[in-house]
Amino acid sequence: MSPRHSAAEAARTRDRIVRAAVRDASRLGLEGLTVGSLAQRLDMSKAGLVGPFGSRERLLMAALEEACEVFRAAVIDPLADLPPGPGRLARLIDGWVDYLADCPFPGGCFLTSASSELDGRPGPLCERLREIVAANRRGLAAEVAAAQAALPGPHRPPEEVATTLIGLSMAANQEVQLLEDPSAASRARDAMRHAAGLPA
């Protein structure tokens, strides 16, 4: 096998492991994910599973980063061609609710479950998750501020609206996943649009 093919195969193997790790961690939690169970499911040795990452901790970090990329691809990237304003914020909310309603992860929103799991547990995973969540929150507040600038006031502070939207998304995730409520997505979309001051 040529070096190029060998590197490509190694990248495919790494991607396969990461995708499986994300799926398992969405159900079991990052800390609940074991190398043994994942290796068995992928028909690999433990050493072969961990090898591309160097350690279990780095494998978990790669799973966290992959979950964030999936969220970004589903919710953030489709906004790229839209100017800041009410239309863009409405599209963000719609994409966010669609992601929650038809989540690519069997355990629901990965960031929501990871936030509950890692809250209060110091370490690299928690630190990285804090950075991701904080950046997402800043981005959301900026989107709210841009929408408010084009809408008649008065308005609640963008940071307050961002907090409300995040809270509503967490409630929607619970209603979709735990309660299996078929009306959860529609209700969440209406509530989030109302909280953001957007037309129904």
Side-chain angles (χ1 to χ4, degrees):
M1 183 179 291
S2 70
R4 177 180 298 175
H5 287 163
S6 178
E9 181 62 30
R12 283 194 294 270
T13 298
R14 187 183 188 281
D15 290 345
R16 177 170 169 252
I17 294 169
V18 170
R19 287 194 299 270
V22 171
R23 289 187 62 81
D24 283 6
S26 79
R27 294 183 295 103
L28 305 171
L30 283 163
E31 295 298 339
L33 181 66
T34 66
V35 170
S37 63
L38 186 59
Q40 184 176 22
R41 189 161 80 79
L42 294 176
D43 195 23
M44 298 177 68
S45 68
K46 292 182 182 180
L49 183 82
V50 174
F53 307 93
S55 68
R56 175 178 177 272
E57 288 70 27
R58 290 181 180 174
L59 168 57
L60 296 181
M61 188 69 76
L64 176 60
E65 297 288 355
E66 173 66 13
C68 292
E69 285 303 310
V70 170
F71 176 84
R72 175 168 289 278
V75 180
I76 306 301
D77 290 351
L79 307 177
D81 295 331
L82 296 177
R88 181 176 162 113
L89 180 59
R91 180 64 187 88
L92 187 154
I93 289 172
D94 288 348
W96 196 355
V97 172
D98 289 345
Y99 164 85
L100 295 172
D102 189 21
C103 195
F105 307 121
C109 179
F110 196 100
L111 291 182
T112 296
S113 59
S115 294
S116 297
E117 177 190 0
L118 299 178
D119 183 25
R121 294 188 184 185
L125 277 175
C126 184
E127 288 301 317
R128 179 60 184 140
L129 181 61
R130 181 180 292 115
E131 292 173 357
I132 292 166
V133 170
N136 286 349
R137 190 183 183 284
R138 287 193 300 270
L140 179 58
E143 296 286 357
V144 171
Q148 288 179 344
L151 293 169
H155 302 291
R156 304 300 300 174
E159 293 79 9
E160 180 182 312
V161 176
T163 295
T164 302
L165 293 176
I166 292 167
L168 289 169
S169 76
M170 290 181 171
N173 184 68
Q174 181 186 65
E175 293 176 357
V176 169
Q177 295 295 323
L178 181 63
L179 302 183
E180 298 180 344
D181 184 346
S183 65
S186 176
R187 186 166 55 250
R189 194 184 315 272
D190 290 345
M192 292 172 78
R193 281 174 170 263
H194 177 74
L198 297 173

